[in-house]
Amino acid sequence: TALHEKPVLFVVGVAAAFFTAFYMSRLFFLVFTGKPKGEQHAHESPSSMTLPLIILAVFAVISGFVQTPWKNTHCSWLTEGAETEQWGGGLVMIISTAIGVLGIYLGWLVFVKGTISRDAVSSRAAWLVRLLERKYYIDELYHVLIVRSLRAFGAGLVAFDHYIVDGIVRLVGGAALQLGRGGTRLQNGQVQTYGLISVLGLVILIAAVVGRRFW
């Protein structure tokens, strides 16, 4: 069962159920039972909005009895042909319902009755309030681990493209340009220069052929 095989997940689910009930009770009590803070008052929505909500609420209540521990063959079509896992049965239902009722009752004590001060938690556990306000510092961790890492990686790619890729292109282009400029200086129309180039070329050719035999 979920209660015995996965106790950590069960505790997380119970905590989520409690805080959800407490938060929703806060929302309900402040909106529907609190004192208006301005001159404007809320009005009921038209039937085009309330009727679908009523239908959804009815089905939400009915669906809570699907797959109950008691014998229920009316909804067997939901799991027919599929493998279903065992769960905690009535004990899980009782615990989750009690936790939800406790969250609603605590919300009533805080936001309606006033027995518990709204600042009781913030005054005694300011670090917890700060942790919740900063959303468990998820944004800060995301910025440090993801955003900065990607920016550093992008900066490295930009530097590689600028200094390595573009550098090789500039080097090849510059070498070709300098070679062309050197060639234009040699093409000066003097027979002596052409003769010198021919001699140098012949010497280089002979050296290459001789060196090839030795190597």
Side-chain angles (χ1 to χ4, degrees):
T1 64
L3 181 58
H4 298 88
E5 296 180 359
K6 301 177 180 179
V8 176
L9 295 180
F10 180 77
V11 172
V12 172
V14 168
F18 171 78
F19 285 110
T20 301
F22 178 78
Y23 178 79
M24 295 308 296
S25 65
R26 171 184 178 273
L27 179 64
F28 175 82
F29 291 137
L30 291 179
V31 173
F32 295 100
T33 64
K35 297 180 180 180
K37 298 182 179 180
E39 298 179 356
Q40 297 181 354
H41 299 278
H43 299 281
E44 184 58 62
S45 302
S47 58
S48 59
M49 296 182 63
T50 56
L51 183 59
L53 293 176
I54 294 174
I55 296 174
L56 290 174
V58 171
F59 279 103
V61 174
I62 296 176
S63 64
F65 293 94
V66 176
Q67 292 295 328
T68 53
W70 303 279
K71 187 177 181 180
N72 187 355
T73 59
H74 300 288
C75 298
S76 59
W77 58 273
L78 292 173
T79 57
E80 186 175 358
E83 296 181 359
T84 57
E85 296 182 357
Q86 297 293 328
W87 58 298
L91 180 60
V92 174
M93 293 183 61
I94 294 174
I95 294 177
S96 59
T97 302
I99 290 297
V101 172
L102 177 62
I104 296 174
Y105 177 69
L106 183 63
W108 179 77
L109 291 178
V110 175
F111 302 105
V112 177
K113 188 71 173 178
T115 305
I116 302 177
S117 175
R118 300 184 183 182
D119 300 330
V121 177
S122 59
S123 60
R124 297 181 181 180
W127 63 270
L128 179 60
V129 177
R130 190 180 305 108
L131 180 65
L132 297 176
E133 289 178 348
R134 301 304 294 268
K135 295 172 290 186
Y136 303 98
Y137 293 94
I138 297 298
D139 294 340
E140 287 77 1
L141 290 175
Y142 179 84
H143 182 76
V144 172
L145 298 178
I146 304 299
V147 176
R148 289 188 177 180
S149 300
L150 291 179
R151 285 181 178 176
F153 181 71
L157 292 179
V158 171
F160 178 82
D161 179 73
H162 180 73
Y163 293 104
I164 304 299
V165 178
D166 291 347
I168 294 176
V169 173
R170 290 192 296 267
L171 178 62
V172 173
L177 182 61
Q178 294 299 327
L179 182 62
R181 289 178 178 176
T184 57
R185 292 180 180 178
L186 295 177
Q187 301 295 331
N188 53 13
Q190 295 181 0
V191 179
Q192 296 86 348
T193 303
Y194 296 155
L196 179 60
I197 294 175
S198 300
V199 173
L200 291 176
L202 180 61
V203 172
I204 294 173
L205 180 60
I206 295 173
V209 172
V210 174
R212 184 178 180 182
R213 289 183 179 180
F214 285 102
W215 288 98

